[in-house]
Amino acid sequence: MKYLNFQFPYYLFALASAFLIAGCSSSRSLSDISEQEQSIEADYSIVYLIHGDADYLYHDSLGTARQADEKVLAEAVRVGEQAENGEVLIFHQRPERKVLWFFPRKDRQFLHYRHGELVERKRYSPSAKTGSGVFSAEARLYKNYGTAADSIANSILLYFGHEIPYENERGYYRSMAGKKMNTGTFSRGISSLLPETRERFDLVVLSTCNNGTPDMAHALKPFTRYLLASPQNLHLSHIDTEELSMLENNPGTEPGKMAKKISRVTYRRLTNTLETVVSLSVYDMQEIDSYIHPLDSTYRSYLNTGSPAEPGNENIDCAALPIFGNQVMFSRGVNSRYRPPRFGRKADLETHSGWGCKERR
Amino acid sequence: MKKFKTFGSLVLLLIGFQLSAYAQGNDATAKFKKYINNVVQKVEKAESPDQKRNILNNSFDNMIDTFDKVSAMKGVSGDDKAAIEKLKSTIVEKKNELNGKNGFAAVKNNRLNSFANYVQQDLEQADETITISVTVLLLIIIILLLL
């Protein structure tokens, strides 16, 4: 016993050293993936980007504490297991911890399902090697593991997280306080995840608060055919994605139809369980093309005049801003579902244009 | 050997400190959200509308008092004071709505459970709701739990 006590600090030191080394060690080289593995065909490709590097704790209707990002991860895994004819790539951006402030612990998680089977599972970490973009590490993994075949009829990207700020904002990643996240860095990050064989995604889903806005739609227009987003707050229980299983029975489903179905199912669930606002908009990028540029320019001019909008404030309906006197002018190509909050100052606002804007102070 | 031992202890201390600081940050917000959830649970369990109203009013008052106390403390930064003020105004707005003040119609007796859930959902869904630093938030929670 005395011998054990004497040795104990050394065992602890050995354990700490092993922990340190594990944090620094590299996982399997990305270039290890064989060409054969990459060329396996899939009818569709779904990418889940799940931000978990912030506070995502909420309580469900029974009062049980839940982590929204973990709930989405479980849902994404179910979609992956059911994807017999497609592939599902899941990136869970968990907080980046470091051993002794320097050595990354590879806390993020990547899961790759192809034909319903988990073909890859690894931990990773953003590093200088992968670039400084918000999704550089994910893009690198995507390029190495994702199916690059022309067989893919539908390519969908889903992002789950808090509101992507309009302007430069640090602190979006709590464990990487200096990393900037805004409409520009986000849209560039999304473009870096495009498969080489495609010019744009069929559908991008933003399960975030307040991002159904002129600036976000304008920024993502070159990279997707349809966008599903919320112009107002969206509760942490998030947009339902299990409807994506429709791709199994109906490969090549028209993405606009798919987006509307996801919106309809989510709206039904959220209006049954929430007292806060429920708003979901599907934007047809081809349809909004004729007016999105002037709409965004006018909005930007408004924001840049006088005191800027207070960070973190909820959106208002763009139609309520005096600069957009006639909301009919930008309703084309927008399929909006809206229910006002049951309480609060906006409980009486029965309609919504489908576009969210920040209000200048 | 002694140097080796000291270095080992230092490594362990640093790892422990780092993990503890990280856990504490998450813990503070979780505790605040738990406090709100306890209020919701109490409201749902209360039998009469008067009891429900009292629980909500007392909780709002406790929060508002605590925010004032902490904000007045020396050493609380300007950023924290602004964040506390923002959170306080959210709670004051909810209290006004409950009691039909400042332009609101009072929440009806048969909708008090829904209103309590609304308060919780509104506070939980936006990351920006709670932007107070960990230390100050922990202080708020300690005072709230003592009241």
Side-chain angles (χ1 to χ4, degrees):
Chain A
M1 195 65 186
K2 195 178 173 185
Y3 174 76
L4 271 179
N5 283 342
F6 176 72
Q7 292 292 321
F8 189 63
Y10 303 107
Y11 284 128
L12 280 179
F13 179 69
L15 190 70
S17 305
F19 185 55
L20 183 71
I21 291 162
C24 313
S25 67
S26 64
S27 33
R28 188 162 72 120
S29 160
L30 298 180
S31 57
D32 290 348
I33 310 304
S34 68
E35 283 181 18
Q36 190 188 0
E37 202 175 326
Q38 272 192 301
S39 67
I40 294 172
E41 294 195 345
D43 290 345
Y44 60 89
S45 166
I46 301 171
V47 179
Y48 280 84
L49 285 169
I50 307 167
H51 182 245
D53 194 358
D55 179 21
Y56 286 103
L57 180 78
Y58 75 102
H59 292 83
D60 65 15
S61 53
L62 299 172
T64 311
R66 297 197 182 280
Q67 285 293 334
D69 56 324
E70 296 290 347
K71 180 178 172 282
V72 176
L73 178 65
E75 188 175 307
V77 165
R78 282 198 297 279
V79 171
E81 287 170 348
Q82 289 164 13
E84 288 183 16
N85 297 307
E87 72 166 356
V88 177
L89 299 99
I90 305 165
F91 300 96
H92 187 198
Q93 296 185 316
R94 292 195 289 209
E96 274 293 303
R97 289 174 295 174
K98 286 184 177 159
V99 177
L100 299 178
W101 291 280
F102 294 110
F103 309 104
R105 289 191 54 194
K106 296 187 186 299
D107 288 301
R108 293 187 179 185
Q109 188 181 199
F110 167 60
L111 300 168
H112 184 198
Y113 286 86
R114 191 187 283 132
H115 303 305
E117 300 218 345
L118 181 64
V119 292
E120 187 63 56
R121 177 186 203 132
K122 67 186 293 174
R123 290 171 63 177
Y124 68 100
S125 180
S127 65
K129 264 197 300 186
T130 56
S132 59
V134 286
F135 302 129
S136 295
E138 287 76 15
R140 188 175 158 107
L141 286 165
Y142 185 87
K143 295 279 189 287
N144 282 282
Y145 289 87
T147 299
D150 293 329
S151 63
I152 292 175
N154 286 107
S155 186
I156 297 150
L157 184 139
L158 308 115
Y159 180 78
F160 297 82
H162 285 300
E163 174 184 354
I164 297 140
Y166 165 71
E167 286 180 315
N168 281 347
E169 192 161 305
R170 294 172 197 273
Y172 190 85
Y173 291 89
R174 290 218 174 151
S175 64
M176 295 184 290
K179 201 165 183 73
K180 283 181 185 174
M181 179 65 136
N182 55 54
T183 309
T185 59
F186 178 77
S187 58
R188 282 194 293 279
I190 294 295
S191 71
S192 72
L193 285 158
L194 267 169
E196 283 171 15
T197 52
R198 300 184 76 90
E199 285 182 4
R200 63 193 68 195
F201 290 102
D202 292 302
L203 171 64
V204 168
V205 175
L206 301 184
S207 189
T208 61
C209 287
N210 300 318
N211 284 131
T213 57
D215 57 291
M216 186 57 83
H218 194 201
L220 291 180
K221 193 176 71 67
F223 313 122
T224 184
R225 291 172 63 199
Y226 288 87
L227 170 68
L228 168 57
S230 173
Q232 301 290 152
N233 273 338
L234 182 67
H235 191 257
L236 290 176
S237 47
H238 290 306
I239 288 176
D240 298 79
T241 61
E242 295 201 49
E243 289 304 312
L244 290 170
S245 58
M246 76 176 87
L247 293 170
E248 279 297 307
N249 302 322
N250 303 297
T253 301
E254 207 276 314
K257 192 177 163 189
M258 193 160 45
K260 284 173 192 166
K261 186 162 186 196
I262 293 171
S263 167
R264 188 167 62 242
V265 171
T266 304
Y267 179 82
R268 197 182 304 143
R269 178 176 64 81
L270 293 180
T271 47
N272 282 331
T273 53
L274 292 185
E275 306 297 333
T276 46
V277 66
V278 181
S279 64
L280 295 159
S281 295
V282 176
Y283 306 91
D284 179 333
M285 298 308 205
Q286 197 177 358
E287 287 281 308
I288 68 170
D289 186 51
S290 60
Y291 64 83
I292 189 63
H293 181 70
L295 174 66
D296 185 29
S297 298
T298 312
Y299 177 48
R300 279 177 191 273
S301 304
Y302 163 77
L303 284 179
N304 294 333
T305 313
S307 307
E310 195 172 336
N313 269 11
E314 195 185 340
N315 280 353
I316 62 163
D317 185 348
C318 293
L321 290 178
I323 47 162
F324 301 123
N326 179 12
Q327 71 178 69
V328 179
M329 68 174 271
F330 50 86
S331 62
R332 191 151 54 84
V334 184
N335 181 283
S336 172
R337 291 176 191 280
Y338 170 76
R339 192 215 62 193
R342 300 284 193 207
F343 301 92
R345 298 271 177 207
K346 295 178 182 172
D348 295 332
L349 299 176
E350 291 295 338
T351 58
H352 199 288
S353 69
W355 292 101
C357 286
K358 293 287 178 211
E359 192 173 22
R360 223 172 42 204
R361 272 183 285 186
Chain B
M1 188 60 80
K2 196 176 174 185
K3 278 181 185 170
F4 187 61
K5 254 176 157 178
T6 312
F7 179 69
S9 307
L10 190 67
V11 168
L12 287 171
L13 196 70
L14 287 171
I15 292 169
F17 175 73
Q18 207 182 14
L19 292 178
S20 142
Y22 181 79
Q24 229 177 23
N26 282 342
D27 214 29
T29 349
K31 280 193 164 64
F32 185 76
K33 289 183 176 180
K34 183 70 193 161
Y35 174 83
I36 302 287
N37 185 250
N38 282 340
V39 175
V40 176
Q41 301 297 315
K42 281 183 198 166
V43 170
E44 287 183 344
K45 281 179 190 158
E47 289 176 0
S48 74
D50 283 347
Q51 284 175 323
K52 290 175 192 285
R53 228 173 256 282
N54 280 340
I55 293 166
L56 283 165
N57 269 320
N58 288 339
S59 306
F60 290 150
D61 287 341
N62 285 345
M63 280 190 268
I64 293 164
D65 287 350
T66 306
F67 295 149
D68 286 340
K69 275 181 192 153
V70 173
S71 205
M73 284 178 183
K74 279 181 186 172
V76 175
S77 71
D79 284 351
D80 274 334
K81 280 183 183 173
I84 291 171
E85 191 54 39
K86 194 173 174 184
L87 191 53
K88 182 187 158 187
S89 68
T90 306
I91 300 299
V92 168
E93 184 86 339
K94 302 285 188 286
K95 192 185 168 195
N96 284 337
E97 183 163 17
L98 175 68
N99 300 305
K101 290 181 178 169
N102 201 19
F104 282 110
V107 176
K108 289 177 182 165
N109 283 348
N110 63 353
R111 299 191 70 199
L112 290 167
N113 287 357
S114 300
F115 181 72
N117 274 296
Y118 165 74
V119 173
Q120 175 174 253
Q121 289 167 1
D122 194 45
L123 284 170
E124 284 186 343
Q125 70 187 348
D127 191 33
E128 292 80 8
T129 305
I130 302 164
T131 53
I132 303 164
S133 69
V134 176
T135 325
V136 175
L137 190 55
L138 279 172
L139 194 60
I140 289 171
I141 293 155
I142 291 165
I143 297 174
L144 271 176
L145 293 176
L146 289 173
L147 285 172

